[in-house]
Amino acid sequence: MPKLQAIPHTIATVGDYEAAARERLSEPAWAYLSGGASDEVTVARNVGAFSQLTLRTRVFADLTDGHTNLELFNQSFGLPILLAPVAFHRLAHPDGELATALGASAGGAGLVVSTQASVTLEDVASQAATPLWFQLYIQPDRAVTLDLVRRAEAAGYGALVVTADAPISGFRPREQRAAFRLPPEIEAANLRGVPPPPSHTARAGQPVLLGGPLLAAAATWRDFAWLRSQTSLPILVKGVMTAEDAVRALDEGADGVIVSNHGGRVLDGQPASLDVLPEVTGIVGDRAPVLFDGGVRSGGDAFKALALGARAVLIGRPYIWGLAAAGAVGVSHVIHMLRAELEATMALTGRHRLSEIDRTALRS
């Protein structure tokens, strides 16, 4: 179906965009953008965990001069919702990350641009009027990694988000069943000219991964320490799901961590990101900002993550659905709906600033 030229009244929530996107994408593209690892149990857990928490409403609260403004790493954000790094936006819309950047700018949300974006990080920066961060996969070749960092610095990106939880891709049978292959006209534009990662074909009876070249090239804490020594940009480690990894990341020089199970796309059988969030915020305390990623489908969900100690949340699939359905307008509309729901939740729980959102806003 063609992209929406106007948003119909039937799209009233973020979830409504899922069906609208599905109608406008090929089966392989939908499998890649919406699927998860193995049986997708973790994908479902991420979304379902929010329903286990209930809110405490408050009455007659003074809500004068309320706002959702946030300061992170010397950057100003109008709301505590960022667009998470997602690869290959041109699978969802011909303009790809350029449309996403326009929608993020109109909606006032920060954007984290993927190493595997289908548009170069420089071109995205030229289009965006909102804070940009760059998501970095540490490459086996340090020269390639350093080149990506220097490009991000030169283009004005405000932070690096180092994804740590995907040394290998997850087993995603939905993609296999749909015969997903990246179309020839779409590429990882930031890695143009970079040799692909080492491959290994295992025969029956042989190890598939262990002892092979792919894991031998995977980044370690030594590589992170080297990266930290190469840039003054703030660095956040994304993919933290334990208190000990959060502490290690900060001890190694990270400026923040993002609690995330990669949207359930890498390892099935993990807990929901939300269930891990209190463990991480409890140990990190005020040492550094903790951000959250995983299953947010409403402003109320975002509020619950903030109440558990997150400074901000990231969304992935929801804005991709908006992009697939209606381009930049869809992205902006998704952000707008989330903002409206977050502000309504704040008002009805008696919190007029983000700093007032804490665990006393939750019943269980």
Side-chain angles (χ1 to χ4, degrees):
M1 295 181 66
K3 304 299 184 187
L4 294 170
Q5 299 304 306
I7 307 302
H9 67 88
T10 52
I11 295 184
T13 68
V14 168
D16 292 332
Y17 267 110
E18 183 174 8
R22 176 66 189 89
E23 294 172 337
R24 289 163 174 81
L25 292 175
S26 68
E27 188 67 29
W30 178 252
Y32 178 83
L33 292 170
S34 65
S38 299
D39 295 321
E40 302 185 0
V41 173
T42 300
V43 176
R45 282 178 179 161
N46 276 351
V47 177
F50 290 95
S51 66
Q52 304 304 307
L53 296 176
T54 55
L55 302 169
R56 298 179 71 242
T57 56
R58 301 297 301 273
V59 299
F60 292 137
D62 184 357
L63 303 173
T64 307
D65 298 326
H67 61 72
T68 59
N69 298 337
L70 175 69
E71 294 287 326
L72 277 175
F73 307 117
N74 296 316
Q75 289 184 299
S76 298
F77 297 82
L79 72 165
I81 298 172
L82 289 79
L83 306 191
V86 176
F88 306 123
H89 289 196
R90 288 186 62 207
L91 286 172
H93 191 279
D95 294 335
E97 287 79 2
L98 298 182
T100 302
L102 281 176
S105 300
L111 171 60
V112 186
V113 177
S114 172
T115 291
Q116 295 181 314
S118 51
V119 175
T120 67
L121 65 92
E122 291 87 357
D123 286 345
V124 176
S126 71
Q127 191 80 292
T130 195
L132 295 177
W133 294 354
F134 182 67
Q135 177 270 334
L136 177 68
Y137 285 112
I138 297 178
Q139 304 295 308
D141 187 336
R142 285 188 172 181
V144 173
T145 303
L146 190 57
D147 179 64
L148 288 169
V149 172
R150 296 292 179 254
R151 289 171 60 190
E153 292 171 337
Y157 285 72
L160 298 177
V161 174
V162 176
T163 296
D165 63 349
I168 59 172
S169 295
F171 289 98
R172 299 203 281 265
R174 201 199 298 198
E175 291 180 24
Q176 180 177 333
R177 296 186 192 109
F180 173 76
R181 296 289 185 275
L182 198 64
E185 70 275 13
I186 298 177
E187 63 173 339
N190 293 313
L191 297 176
R192 190 174 295 142
V194 176
S199 62
H200 172 66
T201 301
R203 297 179 179 178
Q206 293 182 334
V208 177
L209 290 171
L210 297 178
L214 188 59
L215 289 182
T220 68
W221 286 114
R222 292 189 301 275
D223 298 295
F224 181 81
W226 166 81
L227 175 66
R228 175 68 284 176
S229 72
Q230 297 299 311
T231 182
S232 60
L233 283 177
I235 300 178
L236 297 91
V237 175
K238 181 175 180 288
V240 170
M241 287 289 283
T242 62
E244 54 263 42
D245 276 346
V247 171
R248 178 70 183 270
L250 298 183
D251 289 345
E252 294 285 352
D255 300 282
V257 297
I258 302 177
V259 174
S260 171
N261 56 30
H262 214 104
R265 291 174 60 81
V266 173
L267 178 64
D268 206 12
Q270 294 188 81
S273 296
L274 191 72
D275 292 338
V276 173
L277 182 57
E279 173 186 331
V280 175
T281 56
I283 195 70
V284 169
D286 294 328
R287 284 187 63 184
V290 175
L291 278 67
F292 173 83
D293 167 64
V296 171
R297 298 293 184 268
S298 71
D301 291 346
F303 180 94
K304 290 173 181 178
L306 298 175
L308 291 177
R311 291 287 304 282
V313 304
L314 288 80
I315 59 169
R317 289 177 178 89
Y319 82 82
I320 291 296
W321 297 338
L323 177 67
V329 173
V331 174
S332 176
H333 188 217
V334 165
I335 297 166
H336 184 74
M337 287 191 292
L338 292 174
R339 178 196 283 271
E341 292 168 345
L342 173 60
E343 291 187 12
T345 306
M346 291 174 63
L348 295 172
T349 56
R351 320 287 164 143
H352 83 312
R353 302 283 174 88
L354 298 179
S355 59
E356 297 176 349
I357 303 174
D358 57 22
R359 294 191 190 204
T360 64
L362 302 176
R363 284 197 174 276
S364 60

